Every structure is written in structure tokens, then in C-alpha cells.
């Protein structure tokens, strides 16, 4: 079969790979769509902490949409070495989640990673409560934009503030759940101070890290303000602006900042147990109804090397279709 094969860590190539052989409860399924996520890129590059558990060669794609022999359209995770960026893969039907017939498969492929990441961040890491002020740092990316939408529509945040560099994307988010937007430019620090003064920040979902995180943490640490307590949960999720920051100790001593991360291995078992039966069905329904919007751009699987090198357009999820 044809697949996006990783022979060496770097970029997958479109070539032949042995057909999957069923074992245990798994069966061979026909792949319909698979989205390229930052997690996929990190695993394929060998830079993600999960790459250490991968044996070369393998097929890229940690998850995707596939059709079983009985005709069911399902969302499934990869069974290594058979990723979902291929013509066929292995699926355990008992662990797969049904995909509604009224949702475009390319959109369905884009929903789980961004949707679950945002959901887990909001519910478990941030413990968002109705009426709270939520700041999404890096809101113009796919997962950031989903977090903005879910924070308002699903978790009842009182004020959602989208922060990012792409002004056009920020303007669009004002119609999709954001009450306010802040452009990461020379005036961002002043705007963040004003925000925190008027609407004390309860939660930060950070998809950037690096310099933007340093700037916001300085604001939360009462930079230029009279030291006073306000509990803010700063949830570290992504590092698109850099893998490290400088964090002065005084920031954590001058205010009620709680720093926590979320990602692979940090989601409690109770959350994972809800994915197939509760969370994914709701996310698929929200997307099918148009209440959760994700821009997608479909490409034939044979173009995997080209689109991989091009990167992902701002706020748009690239989806491969065999």
C-alpha cells in the first residue's frame, strides 16, 4: 500500500509500506482522512518526547478517520507502525469512536486533536468556571481558536480574550466566542495590564511560551501594580514561540500565579475514559452543527512531503486524503 513513511526522523515520504496484518481484536480499515498536527510533526522530526518510543520505519499519523469492513465510519488512533497517513491501517473497533454521517470527513479528522486538547486544558488543567476571565495566548492557531470557542460556548467563561499576531484571525475570533482581542505588538504589554486591572485574569491557556509567555507572566506578577492576591492558573500547552523562558522568582511570590502544563501523559484517567463515549461525540456534533468551526485544507496523500515542508497556514488544519 502507499503511505507516508518515516524511514529516518525528518520528513515522511510517499512510498510503499507493507499492508497491515490484523492481530488480536484489530481489523484492516480503509483510511478516509488524516490531519497533520504539530504533534505529528514533532514525532516525525524526532523532537517530541514521544519520539523515543517509535521504532523506524513507521507510518506517520497518530490518528484519523477510517471505514471498517461493516461500513462504519470511525475515528481511530494509530497502532504502530501503522499510522493513519496511509491507504489502510489497523483499527480496534471496540476502541474506535463513531463519526456522524453529517460531518465532512476532513473536518472530522481535524476535530479530535484540537478539540480534546482544548477540552482537557479547560476542564482538567485550568478548571474553568462559569463567569471567569480566560486568556488564550496563541489564539490564532487551530487549537487556540478551538479553545476560544469552547471556553465561551461550552464552559461558560464570562470573558474570553484572544491574543495572537494575526490581526485578521483575531478579528474572526471576535465572531466566534472572543469578547476581546489583543495583538502581540509593541502595545500588547500595556493592553494586558489594562485587561488584568479591569478583568482580573483567572485562566491563561498558553500555546506560545517564549517571549509572549514571559510578558504575560510579568503582568500576572503585578508588574507595575500594587502586589495583591488573585488566583490565576497559567496552563502551558504549546511552545510555538520558543521552548524556554526566563521566569523571575518574584513573579511567583508577588501574586497567586499557578503554573501547570498539559499534554501527553498529563490527562487523568477519568478524562481519557470519557473520550470515546462522551467527549468526541459532543465535539463531532458541535462541528457538524457549525457551532465549532475549524478551517481545513485537504490534500492528496501523495503530496505529503510537499505540504509537510510548506508548514500549516495560520489557523488552518491540513488534512491528507488517500
Amino acid at each position: 500500500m502507499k503511505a507516508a513513511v518515516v524511514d529516518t526522523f525528518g520528513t515522511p515520504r510517499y512510498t510503499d509500506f507493507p499492508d497491515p496484518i490484523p492481530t488480536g481484536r484489530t481489523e484492516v480499515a480503509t483510511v478516509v482522512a488524516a490531519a497533520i498536527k504539530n504533534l505529528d510533526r514533532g514525532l516525525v522530526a524526532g523532537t517530541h518526547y514521544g519520539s523515543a518510543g517509535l521504532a523506524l520505519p513507521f507510518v506517520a499519523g497518530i490518528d484519523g478517520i477510517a471505514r471498517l469492513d461493516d461500513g462504519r465510519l470511525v475515528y481511530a488512533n494509530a497502532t504502530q507502525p501503522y499510522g493513519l497517513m496511509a491507504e489502510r491501517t489497523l483499527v480496534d473497533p471496540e476502541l474506535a469512536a463513531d463519526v456522524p454521517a453529517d460531518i465532512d470527513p476532513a473536518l472530522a479528522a481535524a476535530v479530535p486533536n484540537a478539540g480534546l486538547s482544548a477540552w482537557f486544558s479547560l476542564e482538567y488543567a485550568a478548571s474553568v468556571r462559569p463567569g471567569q476571565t480566560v486568556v488564550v495566548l496563541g489564539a490564532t492557531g487551530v487549537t487556540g481558536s478551538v479553545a476560544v470557542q469552547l471556553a465561551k460556548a461550552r464552559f461558560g467563561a464570562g470573558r474570553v480574550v484572544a491574543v495572537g499576531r494575526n490581526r485578521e484571525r483575531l478579528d474572526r475570533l471576535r465572531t466566534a466566542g472572543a469578547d476581546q482581542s489583543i495583538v502581540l505588538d509593541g502595545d500588547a504589554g500595556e493592553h494586558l495590564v489594562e485587561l488584568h486591572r479591569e478583568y482580573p485574569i483567572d485562566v491563561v491557556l498558553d500555546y506560545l511560551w517564549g517571549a509572549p509567555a514571559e510578558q504575560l507572566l510579568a503582568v500576572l506578577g503585578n508588574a507595575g501594580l500594587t502586589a495583591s492576591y488573585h488566583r490565576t492558573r497559567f496552563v502551558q500547552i504549546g511552545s510555538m514561540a520558543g521552548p524556554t523562558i526566563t521566569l523571575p522568582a518574584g513573579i511567583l511570590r508577588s501574586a497567586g500565579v499557578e503554573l501547570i502544563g498539559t499534554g501527553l501523559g498529563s490527562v487523568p484517567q477519568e478524562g481519557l475514559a470519557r473520550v470515546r463515549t462522551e467527549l468526541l461525540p459532543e465535539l463531532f456534533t458541535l462541528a457538524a452543527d457549525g457551532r465549532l468551526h475549524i478551517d481545513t485544507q485537504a490534500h492528496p496523500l501523495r503530496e505529503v512531503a510537499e505540504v509537510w515542508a510548506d508548514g500549516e497556514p495560520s489557523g488552518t488544519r491540513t488534512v491528507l486524503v488517500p
Side-chain angles (χ1 to χ4, degrees), residues 99-113:
V99 175
D102 57 349
I103 186 172
D104 175 53
L107 175 57
V111 165
N113 178 263

Side-chain angles (χ1 to χ4, degrees), residues 21 35 69 93 108 111 132 145 163 170 185 228 230 255 260 265 267 301 303 313 317:
I21 300 174
D69 282 342
V111 165
Q132 289 187 320
S145 68
V163 183
L170 290 174
D185 57 16
S228 61
H230 181 79
I260 187 173
V267 179
L301 177 62
E303 297 178 4
R317 184 116 294 171

